[in-house]
């Protein structure tokens, strides 16, 4: 069973009654959205486990940073402002030097994102980090289910960097600037919080790219009950990875790689100029990569109309690898 199927079978139908009316978005999006008093809060949790989400021997400072950044990225997908973080750490034994570095990384990301670590839990066990984030929705939260027919599909930043880093993880020899760059993309994601908040009023749907572009866009398509057509040549392959892998591998890493923590979103094409200007002002590329149409699911096509089998680009799934 795939991770998506597991969630669909056991968690989406978890409630055999309606949510109370203060639950604006329950299971199924990047974060839940609940109202408390007159405030809307976004809440999510992400877990990283040694050997699955990171490699044994990872620099603990990178591990701390990456665990928090990946969790905070779900707030960007909702256009929420991350605020409060709790962290659960399962670890086999305490090594002071390791802990100091881990905390340094956690702190760097918490400070960078203007959040507070307000609690957590520490247990003995296999190395694993769970990060819960609570954010404030200052504007309308954006859901996976909001894509409209004729919307344009866009993505922030460049894709494929984190996947391209995998063969170089843990290497301590002299590294070229390109290798250092992809390692940075893997270890130090930049949650697109500010950019997403600026784009908020133009977005109809959004998701963060954690598992892979095609796989994550499929969530928007299915939940919005639309077909999304992606144009392969439009996908913004990270230019720096072209020095490290072939063009084909680079394209595949950008389509299916995951771990880039960029935001994919759809918006009405009348706002194209405004969306472009926001990207230029933020100095972060925003690239139109496809369209929303009638139908269901994702099609990956070339500019010339050739259709690709996107099952080959399904991205990361914990229960398949
Ligand atoms: P993301 O990749 O954005 O973190 P996931 O694909 O992990 O999202 O999860 C999809 C949805 O399923 C989310 O709304 C998440 O809260 C929900 N979900 C996943 N696992 C569980 C679980 N064990 N219990 C309840 N909800 C879950
Ligand atoms: Mg997400």
């Amino acid at each position: 069973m795939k991770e998506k199927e597991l969630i669909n079978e056991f968690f989406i139908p978890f409630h055999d009654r309606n949510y109370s009316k203060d639950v604006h978005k329950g299971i199924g999006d990047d974060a839940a959205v609940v109202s408390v008093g007159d405030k809307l809060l976004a809440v999510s949790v992400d877990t990283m486990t040694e050997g699955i989400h990171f490699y044994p021997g990872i620099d603990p400072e990178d591990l701390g940073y990456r665990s928090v950044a990946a969790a905070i990225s779900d707030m960007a997908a909702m256009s929420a402002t991350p605020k409060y973080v709790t962290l659960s750490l399962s670890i086999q034994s305490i090594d002071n030097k390791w802990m100091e570095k881990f905390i340094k990384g956690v702190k760097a990301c918490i400070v960078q994102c203007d959040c507070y670590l307000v609690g957590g839990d520490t247990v003995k066990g296999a190395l694993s980090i769970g990060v819960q984030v609570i954010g404030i929705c200052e504007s309308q939260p954006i859901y996976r289910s909001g894509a409209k027919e004729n919307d344009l599909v866009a993505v922030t930043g460049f894709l494929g960097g984190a996947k391209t880093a995998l063969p170089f993880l843990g290497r301590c020899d002299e590294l070229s600037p390109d290798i250092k760059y992809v390692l940075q993309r893997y270890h130090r994601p930049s949650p697109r919080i500010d950019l997403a908040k600026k784009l908020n009023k133009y977005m109809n749907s959004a998701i963060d790219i954690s598992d892979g572009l095609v796989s994550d866009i499929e969530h928007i398509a299915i939940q919005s009950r639309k077909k999304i057509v992606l144009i392969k040549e439009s996908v913004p392959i990270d230019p720096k990875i072209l020095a490290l892998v072939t063009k084909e591998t680079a394209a595949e890493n950008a389509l299916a790689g995951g771990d880039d923590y960029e935001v994919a979103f759809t918006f009405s094409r009348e706002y194209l100029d405004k969306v472009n200007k926001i990207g230029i002002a933020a100095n972060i590329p925003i690239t139109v990569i496809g369209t929303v149409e009638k139908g269901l699911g994702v099609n990956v096509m070339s500019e010339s109309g050739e259709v690709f089998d996107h099952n080959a680009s399904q991205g990361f799934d914990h229960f398949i690898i």
Side-chain angles (χ1 to χ4, degrees):
M1 186 182 271
K2 291 185 188 172
E3 185 187 346
K4 280 180 190 175
E5 290 164 355
L6 181 141
I7 290 170
N8 284 340
E9 181 151 345
F10 294 102
F11 292 113
I12 302 276
F14 181 88
H15 290 280
D16 43 15
R17 60 197 166 105
N18 290 336
Y19 287 113
S20 64
K21 67 178 186 319
D22 48 325
V23 179
H24 296 247
K25 181 58 81 175
I27 293 171
D29 219 298
D30 291 279
V33 175
V34 296
S35 56
V36 179
D38 59 356
K39 283 216 157 43
L40 271 187
L41 302 183
V43 186
S44 76
V45 65
D46 267 317
T47 308
M48 292 213 176
T49 305
E50 186 175 53
I52 305 284
H53 303 95
F54 59 91
Y55 52 101
I58 185 174
D59 179 335
E61 196 175 328
D62 285 333
L63 176 61
Y65 194 100
R66 183 166 181 267
S67 304
V68 177
I72 283 180
S73 173
D74 278 325
M75 295 290 125
M78 312 305 288
S79 302
T81 306
K83 193 93 204 229
Y84 309 110
V85 173
T86 59
L87 184 146
S88 83
L89 173 64
S90 166
I91 192 165
Q92 285 295 3
S93 59
I94 308 286
D95 169 335
N96 278 18
K97 282 223 160 59
W98 192 98
M99 278 307 298
E100 272 163 27
K101 291 186 82 183
F102 176 71
I103 292 301
K104 193 173 170 200
V106 168
K107 200 167 190 171
C109 188
I110 294 268
V111 168
Q112 174 73 33
C113 296
D114 202 15
C115 292
Y116 300 92
L117 180 67
V118 294
D121 191 27
T122 308
V123 295
K124 183 178 164 74
L127 186 59
S128 159
I129 295 106
V131 178
Q132 186 201 38
V133 186
I134 298 175
I136 316 276
C137 302
E138 283 141 353
S139 39
Q140 182 61 34
I142 306 297
Y143 300 142
R144 295 174 176 180
S145 57
K148 296 190 167 55
E149 203 180 318
N150 287 324
D151 271 3
L152 295 175
V153 182
V155 67
T156 64
F158 291 121
L159 300 178
K163 175 71 188 282
T164 304
L166 296 189
F168 306 110
L169 296 178
R171 264 182 47 181
C172 329
D173 48 328
E174 195 65 21
L175 299 172
S176 72
D178 294 316
I179 297 178
K180 281 190 184 149
Y181 167 81
V182 292
L183 288 172
Q184 182 81 2
R185 285 290 287 168
Y186 177 89
H187 287 127
R188 306 272 167 149
S190 309
R192 299 299 189 193
I193 300 294
D194 291 338
L195 186 57
K197 279 161 59 180
K198 288 187 180 121
L199 291 166
N200 172 271
K201 60 176 179 276
Y202 305 119
M203 288 171 161
N204 285 333
S205 65
I207 189 166
D208 72 326
I209 309 296
S210 52
D211 295 336
L213 178 70
V214 175
S215 168
D216 285 320
I217 290 263
E218 196 168 45
H219 287 296
I220 292 187
I222 302 291
Q223 294 196 28
S224 302
R225 308 209 61 74
K226 297 285 179 294
K227 181 165 91 178
I228 290 186
V229 178
L230 295 179
I231 304 300
K232 200 173 178 185
E233 292 89 343
S234 305
V235 172
I237 299 172
D238 199 321
K240 297 222 168 101
I241 70 178
L242 292 165
L244 300 172
V245 288
T246 63
K247 230 177 138 195
E248 290 70 39
T249 304
E252 194 52 32
N253 288 356
L255 274 173
D259 281 342
D260 287 317
Y261 297 102
E262 297 294 343
V263 173
F265 61 101
T266 76
F267 63 101
S268 167
R269 56 187 74 213
E270 69 189 280
Y271 298 131
L272 180 58
D273 260 9
K274 296 201 157 91
V275 164
N276 280 336
K277 280 189 184 134
I278 290 170
I280 290 164
N283 203 18
I284 297 168
I286 294 179
T287 314
V288 172
I289 54 172
T291 50
V292 180
E293 302 180 3
K294 262 200 190 71
L296 195 65
V298 178
N299 272 11
V300 182
M301 292 177 69
S302 73
E303 275 162 348
S304 59
E306 187 191 351
V307 179
F308 293 94
D309 172 16
H310 72 270
N311 288 321
S313 306
Q314 267 308 307
F316 180 76
D317 189 309
H318 301 111
F319 298 99
I320 289 182
I321 57 165

